Amino acid sequence: MEKVVIIGTGCAGLTAALYTARANLAPLVLTGTMPGGLLTTTSIVENFPGFPEGIDGYELMTRMQKQAERFGARVQFGTVESVDLSRSPFKLTVDGEPVEAQTIIIASGAGHRHLGLESESLLEKKGVTYCATCDGALPMFRNQPLVVVGGGDSACEEATYLTRFASVVYLIHRRDSLRASKIMAERTLANPKIKPVWNSVVTEILDVKKDTVTGVRVKDVNTGAEQVLDCAGVFVAIGHVPNTQLFNGMIDLDENGYVIPKEGSATKVPGVFVAGDCSDHVYRQAITAAGMGCAAAIDAERYLAALNQ
Ligand SMILES: Cc1cc2nc3c(=O)[nH]c(=O)nc-3n(C[C@H](O)[C@H](O)[C@H](O)COP(=O)(O)OP(=O)(O)OC[C@H]3O[C@@H](n4cnc5c(N)ncnc54)[C@H](O)[C@@H]3O)c2cc1C
């Protein structure tokens, strides 16, 4: 039986692995289909403390894994297919095989909701991005027109943040008013650099042939009229999908599927803890996920210590 099983090897999972390994708990750490997590999909990370020149996302995650393994973490390629939290020890099914665990740390992350356009996936990282805080300051976006797609708080935050770098920010939204909170919507619309494009959807991101973003084709949902807006970047901010479906009905999730912690990193099931983007719809950064991983590891360690007294 495992003392600790960690679901996920992003910043949250690997930090939890480091801490639980250093506490001599020899955690079993499951990678899922994305070993190293979301950060491996970005080239340069400039805001993780300790790397003044920035660091390649893949390299950062490889180093985190090595650091955890040095103290005894066992990283295993495998996806959790189901969990039973109603029994003790807990039971997980990992690629068809049963695993028993005294504690579980859920660090399964959250994916970005995509527009679903072929041109979007072909131009990802070539001007299409899902995180203004991460990519907004890149030289390719400086003093250029940029597009943000969405109408909620995140889209407003992204658009406002991007006005620091962009010549103009087009905020494309399918409705005729923002979904964001009143104060956020007012602040956004008062910003002279933000130009809302109402009742509109992006139908194509240009230009796949040039292998870089040069603009977007936009359709008015009421009239069907199309226009092309020139831009150097498209920031898609239409929400996230937390990877928590496995736990539906077992622990508390909010209406969007994010885990609601009970106290610290604890969930309503004693022995099950949570960390990172799967329970964070506010900050969603590598360093905050790592911090939450640390907290979950300490909570799991204390829980086990009390259990085995
Ligand atoms: C393109 C891009 C660039 C970014 N740049 C930055 C940046 O510069 N700075 C910054 O601070 N943040 C950045 N971020 C955000 C950052 O990547 C996330 O905040 C961080 O990765 C969250 O870590 P996490 O461990 O919570 O989840 P993730 O990194 O999403 O990891 C989730 C892990 O869970 C695993 N998993 C999921 N389901 C299962 C399952 N059923 N069984 C087993 N494993 C499972 C996955 O395979 C993965 O290993 C960026 C994000 C993106 C997409």
Side-chain angles (χ1 to χ4, degrees):
M1 184 179 53
E2 303 292 340
K3 290 191 180 109
V4 182
V5 169
I6 298 172
I7 304 176
T9 50
C11 302
L14 288 177
T15 306
L18 171 64
Y19 274 75
T20 47
R22 289 192 78 245
N24 277 339
L25 296 172
L28 175 65
V29 197
L30 301 165
T31 63
T33 52
M34 194 183 262
L38 270 186
L39 217 56
T40 58
T41 64
T42 192
S43 48
I44 186 88
V45 182
E46 292 182 320
N47 52 11
F48 199 87
F51 300 94
E53 282 81 36
I55 180 165
D56 177 82
Y58 182 82
E59 191 191 339
L60 178 61
M61 299 317 297
T62 308
R63 282 180 181 225
M64 276 195 204
Q65 179 172 331
K66 278 192 187 149
Q67 195 175 354
E69 284 173 335
R70 187 179 144 214
F71 296 101
R74 292 164 300 132
V75 177
Q76 180 182 308
F77 190 81
T79 297
V80 180
E81 293 161 341
S82 64
V83 286
D84 183 352
L85 306 182
S86 65
R87 65 199 284 282
S88 179
F90 305 123
K91 188 180 158 205
L92 303 93
T93 306
V94 182
D95 292 342
E97 297 295 322
V99 173
E100 288 192 323
Q102 278 186 293
T103 64
I104 295 176
I105 296 176
I106 305 167
S108 51
H112 297 279
R113 191 163 278 138
H114 291 215
L115 296 170
L117 302 170
E118 195 186 356
S119 50
E120 174 191 17
S121 54
L122 290 172
L123 292 172
E124 188 169 343
K125 287 185 259 168
K126 295 167 183 168
V128 175
T129 145
Y130 300 86
C131 177
T133 320
C134 316
D135 299 330
L138 293 177
M140 67 191 286
F141 299 131
R142 298 234 168 192
N143 301 313
Q144 299 290 330
L146 300 176
V147 157
V148 172
V149 187
D153 279 330
S154 294
C156 289
E157 266 171 36
E158 304 264 289
T160 305
Y161 180 76
L162 289 172
T163 56
R164 299 176 194 195
F165 315 106
S167 56
V168 57
V169 178
Y170 297 109
L171 181 58
I172 301 178
H173 186 40
R174 57 167 62 242
R175 298 177 220 275
D176 61 3
S177 62
L178 295 173
R179 260 190 311 110
S181 58
K182 195 165 177 282
I183 185 160
M184 179 71 83
E186 280 173 4
R187 200 180 301 152
T188 305
L189 296 176
N191 190 317
K193 270 193 165 181
I194 297 175
K195 306 244 175 288
V197 183
W198 301 118
N199 300 312
S200 296
V201 290
V202 174
T203 53
E204 187 185 357
I205 299 175
L206 307 167
D207 188 335
V208 171
K209 278 198 192 121
K210 292 190 179 143
D211 208 26
T212 187
V213 170
T214 61
V216 286
R217 194 181 304 283
V218 179
K219 185 170 134 187
D220 187 306
V221 291
N222 294 331
T223 65
E226 286 199 339
Q227 61 168 323
V228 170
L229 297 171
D230 292 336
C231 66
V234 178
F235 291 75
V236 181
I238 54 173
H240 291 78
V241 189
N243 305 316
T244 56
Q245 297 83 346
L246 281 177
F247 306 99
N248 226 338
M250 295 180 213
I251 56 176
D252 290 336
L253 306 178
D254 72 12
E255 71 273 17
N256 294 313
Y258 289 92
V259 179
I260 307 171
K262 200 174 141 226
E263 194 188 338
S265 70
T267 66
K268 76 170 188 187
V269 179
V272 178
F273 303 90
V274 67
D277 284 11
C278 63
S279 71
D280 170 20
H281 56 88
V282 179
Y283 304 108
R284 294 192 203 108
Q285 293 296 295
I287 189 68
T288 46
M292 292 167 86
C294 159
I298 293 174
D299 287 343
E301 184 193 336
R302 289 182 182 160
Y303 172 83
L304 282 170
L307 204 65
N308 299 325
Q309 253 171 14

